Amino acid sequence: MRRPDGGWGSLITFLPRHAATSSPRIYDRLAVCKGPSLGTIFTLACPFTLLAHYTELDWAESCGVSRHLIRISVGLEDPDALWRRLDAALLEP
């Protein structure tokens, strides 16, 4: 995604409401590739804190970083298509 007056790329990290129960559902329903971003051109999602701090989740949460964060590294796909995928993942079942 490119902003009119900016550069390429976007990294979004969010914590859904009722994260303990909703984060796994949203992550599973998000129709993008899953994994850490290493500079790919396609969108990736990952459960950031679980991935980066798996053996120290209590410590991460003591620093204010929830274990239920979802991180999306936005790729070069059509933005409208990505919004539709995100909307579908966020809809209540």
Side-chain angles (χ1 to χ4, degrees):
M1 183 177 291
R2 185 170 195 261
R3 295 181 181 164
D5 297 323
W8 295 96
S10 183
L11 184 65
I12 303 161
T13 303
F14 66 99
L15 183 65
R17 275 185 255 149
H18 313 296
T21 56
S22 65
S23 282
R25 179 187 53 79
I26 292 168
Y27 180 77
D28 289 345
R29 291 176 55 159
L30 191 55
V32 299
C33 293
K34 306 300 193 322
S37 175
L38 300 172
T40 64
I41 62 169
F42 51 88
T43 298
L44 284 166
C46 75
F48 178 72
T49 311
L50 291 175
L51 186 67
H53 300 286
Y54 183 75
T55 62
E56 51 194 16
L57 292 173
D58 292 335
W59 170 81
E61 288 192 326
S62 76
C63 295
V65 181
S66 172
R67 68 184 66 207
H68 305 293
L69 289 178
I70 297 173
R71 177 168 282 180
I72 300 173
S73 175
V74 179
L76 299 178
E77 297 94 340
D78 175 59
D80 291 329
L82 289 174
W83 280 118
R84 286 190 298 274
R85 292 179 194 179
L86 187 56
D87 284 343
L90 294 171
L91 288 175
E92 293 295 323

